[in-house]
């Protein structure tokens, strides 16, 4: 199963935590359902801007990085464009 670019950032954050954070616990902290979080993971849905902001606050992943991942998932930006943009890393 392929996961979204957004989910790759979330997984990177989850892996760095001292104590494991479940998908359900993260969904609760962000204020969305576990089902919504699962859809983000599979690339079947994209979070609303307010959910991205909440996700940014909870994970401390920069909002711009989360937004860039969503844009990549939507197909509006390629991996090369992200890698080539050193000023705004994704």
């Amino acid at each position: 199963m392929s996961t979204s670019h957004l989910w790759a950032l979330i997984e990177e954050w989850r892996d760095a935590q001292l104590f494991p954070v479940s998908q359900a616990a993260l969904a609760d902290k962000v204020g969305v359902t576990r089902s919504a979080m699962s859809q983000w993971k599979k690339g079947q849905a994209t979070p609303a801007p307010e959910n991205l902001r909440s996700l940014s606050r909870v994970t401390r992943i920069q909002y711009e990085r989360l937004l860039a991942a969503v844009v990549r998932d939507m197909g509006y930006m390629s991996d090369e464009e992200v890698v080539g943009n050193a000023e705004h890393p994704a």
Side-chain angles (χ1 to χ4, degrees):
M1 176 180 76
S2 176
T3 58
S4 68
H5 292 97
L6 175 64
W7 196 255
L9 284 176
I10 294 169
E11 280 296 302
E12 187 179 303
W13 172 81
R14 287 175 65 193
D15 290 345
Q17 301 309 298
L18 185 57
F19 299 102
V21 177
S22 71
Q23 185 172 322
L26 181 59
D28 187 51
K29 288 181 180 191
V30 172
V32 298
T33 64
R34 195 171 61 90
S35 174
M37 189 80 52
S38 179
Q39 289 177 334
W40 299 352
K41 178 178 183 177
K42 296 174 188 173
Q44 296 173 341
T46 57
E50 58 271 14
N51 292 333
L52 272 184
R53 292 217 182 272
S54 181
L55 184 60
S56 177
R57 280 191 297 274
V58 170
T59 62
R60 297 191 178 187
I61 299 171
Q62 291 179 339
Y63 177 79
E64 292 78 12
R65 289 187 72 200
L66 295 172
L67 185 59
V70 169
V71 169
R72 287 171 64 195
D73 289 335
M74 294 173 71
Y76 292 114
M77 185 168 43
S78 70
D79 291 340
E80 293 79 27
E81 289 174 299
V82 173
V83 171
N85 192 346
E87 186 174 299
H88 297 288

